[in-house]
Amino acid sequence: GLCVTFSTPATGYVVGGAGMFNVTTNGGASWSSQTASGYGLNDLLASDRTLWAVGDNATILHSSNGGSTWFEEQRSMYASLNGVALAGSIPVAVGEYGAIVRKDGSWNSQDPAVIRSVNWLAFADRRNGVAAGQYGLLMKTNDGGATWNTVAGISGDSYYGAEMADS
């Protein structure tokens, strides 16, 4: 799988290629498998039994019952999405070609004015977040992902992770 996350010590999830979705309810001793999408899934956000998964071909999936059923969200782009995080209660996803989408009612594309892929993002709280990507791309937001500003990177290498401490 491309992403492994746990919402409780016992309940965990794995997503990956070809829409793979696995769940454990016993701390990983055993897993059940299903297909959540026809496209590869790159990241998963779990908050109790509410799940958000993002992946290839702008796939955005939502489940409110721990993955028993999935709802495919509407979007108006085709870039693959690499990461998803919550800005408070609002999901924000990032991906290829500088794609950043934020769900505040409906999914809205943000324009960070970059064409490099954004690989990962994290929020410290409902307002403050960072995103990292190709060729040293680092961005920050202080309005919950509505706008993003590029910051100087420490190298030209690509970043594949970001994390923020709670504020």
Side-chain angles (χ1 to χ4, degrees):
L2 293 177
C3 176
V4 179
T5 189
F6 278 75
S7 60
T8 70
T11 305
Y13 309 94
V14 177
V15 295
M20 178 198 70
F21 172 75
N22 293 334
V23 62
T24 182
T25 56
N26 57 16
S30 63
W31 294 82
S32 63
S33 180
Q34 69 179 28
T35 301
S37 168
Y39 295 105
L41 298 174
N42 300 324
D43 196 20
L44 176 75
L45 171 68
S47 178
D48 193 29
R49 292 186 49 80
T50 299
L51 307 176
W52 291 96
V54 298
D56 298 342
N57 201 34
T59 298
I60 303 172
L61 303 175
H62 176 247
S63 175
S64 57
N65 56 17
S68 294
T69 57
W70 291 92
F71 174 74
E72 187 167 0
E73 298 281 322
Q74 296 295 325
R75 69 254 179 228
S76 60
M77 57 182 225
Y78 296 96
S80 290
L81 296 172
N82 301 322
V84 61
L86 287 178
S89 62
I90 297 173
V92 180
V94 297
E96 292 179 315
Y97 315 112
I100 299 178
V101 293
R102 181 176 185 265
K103 183 170 179 141
D104 44 5
S106 61
W107 285 96
N108 295 304
S109 293
Q110 308 305 304
D111 184 9
V114 299
I115 57 170
R116 295 173 281 178
S117 289
V118 186
N119 297 325
W120 203 258
L121 78 161
F123 284 88
D125 54 34
R126 67 181 184 84
R127 300 187 57 78
N128 298 292
V130 295
Q134 259 185 333
Y135 310 117
L137 176 64
L138 290 174
M139 296 185 299
K140 67 177 182 173
T141 181
N142 61 9
D143 59 8
T147 60
W148 293 85
N149 295 307
T150 304
V151 296
I154 55 174
S155 78
D157 292 336
S158 294
Y159 298 118
Y160 294 98
E163 195 62 52
M164 287 190 76
D166 291 340
S167 59

